Amino acid sequence: MSKLQNSFSILLLLLHVLSCVAYAAPFNISTINFTKGFTPLFGEPNIIPSSDDRSVRLHLNQYTGSGFKSSDLYNHGFFSAKIKLPSEYTAGIVVAFYTTNGDIFRKTHDELDFEFLGNIRGKAWRFQTNMYGNGSTNRGREERYYLWFDPSKDFHRYSILWTTNNIIFYIDDVPIREIVRNDAMGADFPSKPMALYATIWDASDWATSGGKYRANYKYAPFVAEFTDLVLHGCATEPLEEVVAASCSDRDASVDFASITPKQKMAMKKFREKYIYYSYCYDTLRYPVPPPECVIDPMGQQRYKNTGRLKFDEKHHHRRFKKRGQVMGARSYRNQVDV
């Protein structure tokens, strides 16, 4: 091979590496040190920041869980963290990563949730997302899913985008759910400033298989790790009627509000394979679907009137296990051709 050919090959390899790096970090975001952006919520002795202040561990033992919250509230934003969940037997243990203003607006609070629902080794991890607006807790908008990886083995980025027009939940660079606001939703769409929260706690009564499997403290302490925390938005006072001029022209989060065609395809494939409950198809709970729901007749055939998919859980677990043996060393990006 000539020197020119060799140089050209090296250049191609470098360009390929650079393109992969750029894709691996699609959000051009800066992180914030833990003590600069957050304060303890409860269980302070069980909140352990790293020596470089870039990460934090939340512990749960038989005495207490723990949690932290952002020091500021935000008028819309992009909120994100890389999280590694507790390992071993974690049934009944909920790790939550969410935005809310419930401390201030107790009866009319808004909320956006990631909730990880505990796990028994060998089973697929489950989690849910949810949205409440203006205290609409009787109109929860839960969706539940299986994860395509073991979240206790490595860090993965979980992100919540909240703008005036839409809400997007991300895992790594895959959007898994989008809620688009329409006028019929009214105040059910979150509109008041919210803070970012993270907690670990015992939810044995409901979290894992409806409370069938409970927390076992011989495996304690249960540890959730958070790093590369992101608070990107308009910090504001919760009762201010006028948003700061620097934030009034556009949402601070608008840079992340668009989904590329490849991401749309990834979201479609995720939802086809891993969602197992959707409130939009729960006709027992909502005889008339909430106004933001887009009912797909083909999709409707897949669900029972309880909003759960019409498949046997054991069969799904066998498929997941077999698929996991193949996917263990490759990313979901390859799975969905993103």
Side-chain angles (χ1 to χ4, degrees):
M1 181 181 292
S2 68
K3 289 184 178 180
L4 181 60
Q5 288 174 317
N6 188 51
S7 298
F8 183 68
S9 297
I10 293 173
L11 178 60
L12 287 177
L13 178 61
L14 179 62
L15 289 173
H16 174 71
V17 170
L18 289 174
S19 68
C20 289
V21 170
Y23 189 84
F27 306 121
N28 184 21
I29 48 180
S30 58
T31 60
I32 188 169
N33 286 358
F34 176 70
T35 56
K36 182 178 180 181
F38 299 90
T39 58
L41 179 64
F42 70 99
E44 189 166 357
N46 283 355
I47 302 172
I48 305 173
S50 63
S51 58
D52 63 4
D53 202 32
R54 294 180 56 83
S55 305
V56 62
R57 293 185 174 193
L58 294 183
H59 286 222
L60 166 68
N61 55 32
Q62 60 267 43
Y63 304 108
T64 184
S66 54
F68 61 85
K69 60 178 289 189
S70 61
S71 303
D72 293 318
L73 285 87
Y74 294 85
N75 187 57
H76 304 106
F78 184 82
F79 311 100
S80 184
K82 289 183 178 177
I83 306 172
K84 185 160 70 172
L85 297 183
S87 58
E88 302 296 337
Y89 180 96
T90 58
I93 308 303
V94 165
V95 175
F97 183 71
Y98 60 106
T99 64
T100 188
N101 46 38
D103 290 349
I104 299 168
F105 304 101
R106 296 186 180 277
K107 295 183 179 181
T108 59
H109 84 285
D110 305 292
E111 189 171 323
L112 299 169
D113 300 321
F114 270 109
E115 289 185 305
F116 303 93
L117 305 177
N119 193 53
I120 298 170
R121 183 187 294 176
K123 291 187 176 290
W125 274 82
R126 304 180 189 194
F127 72 103
Q128 69 180 22
T129 61
N130 207 343
M131 179 191 81
Y132 300 109
N134 203 41
S136 57
T137 53
N138 63 330
R139 295 188 297 280
R141 288 164 158 88
E142 299 99 329
E143 288 188 348
R144 290 193 173 189
Y145 329 82
Y146 294 96
L147 280 170
W148 62 91
F149 54 84
D150 184 341
S152 70
K153 298 297 185 184
D154 296 296
F155 285 96
H156 290 268
R157 180 168 291 283
Y158 304 89
S159 307
I160 300 171
L161 171 76
W162 170 44
T163 78
T164 55
N165 297 314
N166 68 334
I167 293 159
I168 304 174
F169 294 88
Y170 287 91
I171 297 180
D172 295 324
D173 54 0
V174 177
I176 64 163
R177 178 182 184 182
E178 181 178 23
I179 302 168
V180 179
R181 187 189 71 82
N182 62 46
D183 291 342
M185 294 178 70
D188 278 9
F189 192 90
S191 61
K192 299 183 291 297
M194 292 191 281
L196 178 65
Y197 289 70
T199 57
I200 183 170
W201 52 291
D202 186 335
S204 291
D205 289 343
W206 65 271
T208 308
S209 298
K212 180 179 178 180
Y213 302 102
R214 304 179 67 83
N216 186 335
Y217 283 96
K218 80 174 186 179
Y219 296 99
F222 302 100
V223 181
E225 301 179 65
F226 299 78
T227 190
D228 291 352
L229 293 149
V230 172
L231 296 170
H232 183 91
C234 296
T236 185
E237 292 295 327
L239 301 179
E240 281 185 353
E241 294 185 3
V242 179
V243 178
S246 60
C247 290
S248 60
D249 293 336
R250 59 196 292 271
D251 289 339
S253 52
V254 73
D255 295 335
F256 316 112
S258 61
I259 300 176
T260 68
K262 288 184 177 180
Q263 286 177 316
K264 286 182 180 179
M265 181 60 68
M267 180 165 64
K268 180 176 183 292
K269 290 187 176 182
F270 168 82
R271 296 179 67 80
E272 287 175 349
K273 292 185 177 184
Y274 297 110
I275 187 170
Y276 69 89
Y277 171 81
S278 170
Y279 72 103
C280 285
Y281 295 98
D282 190 341
T283 57
L284 295 181
R285 188 177 182 186
Y286 299 115
V288 177
E292 73 279 4
C293 290
V294 178
I295 303 300
D296 177 6
M298 292 296 293
Q300 194 168 27
Q301 295 177 13
R302 301 171 60 216
Y303 288 89
K304 302 176 184 178
N305 59 359
T306 59
R308 294 182 67 91
L309 283 183
K310 295 176 181 176
F311 58 63
D312 178 75
E313 184 177 345
K314 292 182 180 179
H315 174 68
H316 177 90
H317 176 57
R318 287 197 298 270
R319 291 194 300 116
F320 181 93
K321 186 175 181 180
K322 182 177 180 181
R323 189 162 53 237
Q325 292 170 350
V326 177
M327 291 179 63
R330 71 187 186 193
S331 69
Y332 180 65
R333 183 180 303 123
N334 293 332
Q335 165 85 357
V336 296
D337 300 321
V338 175

